[in-house]
Amino acid sequence: MSFSPKIELHLHLEGAAPPDFVRRLASEKGMNLSRVFDERGSYTYRDFEGFLQTYEAATQVLKTPEDYARLTREVLERSRDEGVIYTEIFLSPDFCGGRDLSAWREYLAAIEEAAGAVEGIEMRGIVTCIRHFGADKARETARCAAETAGGFVTGFGMGGNEARGTARDFVWAFDCAREAGLGLTSHAGEFGGPASVRDTLDHLRVSRVGHGVRAAEDPTLVERLAREGVVLEICPGSNVALGLYAKIDAHPIEFLMAEGIDVTVSTDDPPFFHTTMRSEYDALERVFGWDEDRFRVINQTAARAAFCDAATREDLLKRLEP
Ligand code: ADE
Ligand code: ZN
């Protein structure tokens, strides 16, 4: 695929850690991560809950702001080499100092400084709470987000296990982030069905939904997403790797786009799913025949939906011009 400038809106920092990077840190710290990798050295898990467990186990090696600075450099260099010019990355105060505000500020400063040192790619942070850690921790995370909002931190989001809690439980956290001027996104409609997307829109009032693909099962919701201009951060390779769809051919991205929904393409946790931005694009070209114009449209959608200032958005849109 010759189309090169890409915008990625949905990438988890810990989830983007290459296995070699995690092994190196583990050996430096004398930690044993035997249940994290398979015999070939890849991340191992059986299903979505297993994936979340492996993710959290691998994250144990990230202990200091300097570890996060190293990870940020590694991840951004890889994204840039895939043609990504702008990326929004989920950052987790849960893992960066246990939601303690002064510790969080130190981790964040290290991440921001590292991001500034990588040329050829622009990054913004989306502070993220983790649903299965519960509403109290989400509130503390939202406070961290609100206290550090502006400049580098431009969004607030929620990942984790959709089966835990309801959208209503997280209203306080999202209201707090909204009042701080942050853009809002939440994972929904991945392992939860259409109702999870509807509840997320009604209660958390997000402009973007992480995944949201299960909305395809409900025509009324499809129509609503199109009408309200809700942007879906779709990660096809992630959905296939986690077993939502048997293969990309069965993925609803083409259908959702044809129904008038604003879709974007991201990788989620690329080494966990053996994917990269280039391979996502290649698969969409191969399976659905997407061409340069189609890729330009999804990247323009991403630029318009990005949690960034007007000057950055203008610059991105200019760089996407043919
Ligand atoms: N955290 C990291 N990746 C995730 C995913 N695909 N769904 C929910 N939470 C996540
Ligand atoms: Zn995600």
Side-chain angles (χ1 to χ4, degrees), residues 15 20 26 54 70 77 83 101 132 138 160 173 184 251 297:
D20 281 347
T54 299
R70 285 167 68 180
E77 284 169 3
L101 181 58
H132 55 272
L184 301 179
H251 195 284
V297 169

Side-chain angles (χ1 to χ4, degrees), residues 45-52 187 190-191 211 235-246 268-269 272-273:
Y45 54 88
R46 273 220 188 89
D47 52 18
F48 180 54
E49 294 215 2
F51 156 72
L52 291 173
H187 287 58
E190 182 189 20
F191 286 90
H211 302 286
C235 310
S238 161
N239 297 153
V240 171
L242 289 175
L244 256 70
Y245 307 104
D268 208 7
D269 308 284
F272 282 85
F273 307 138

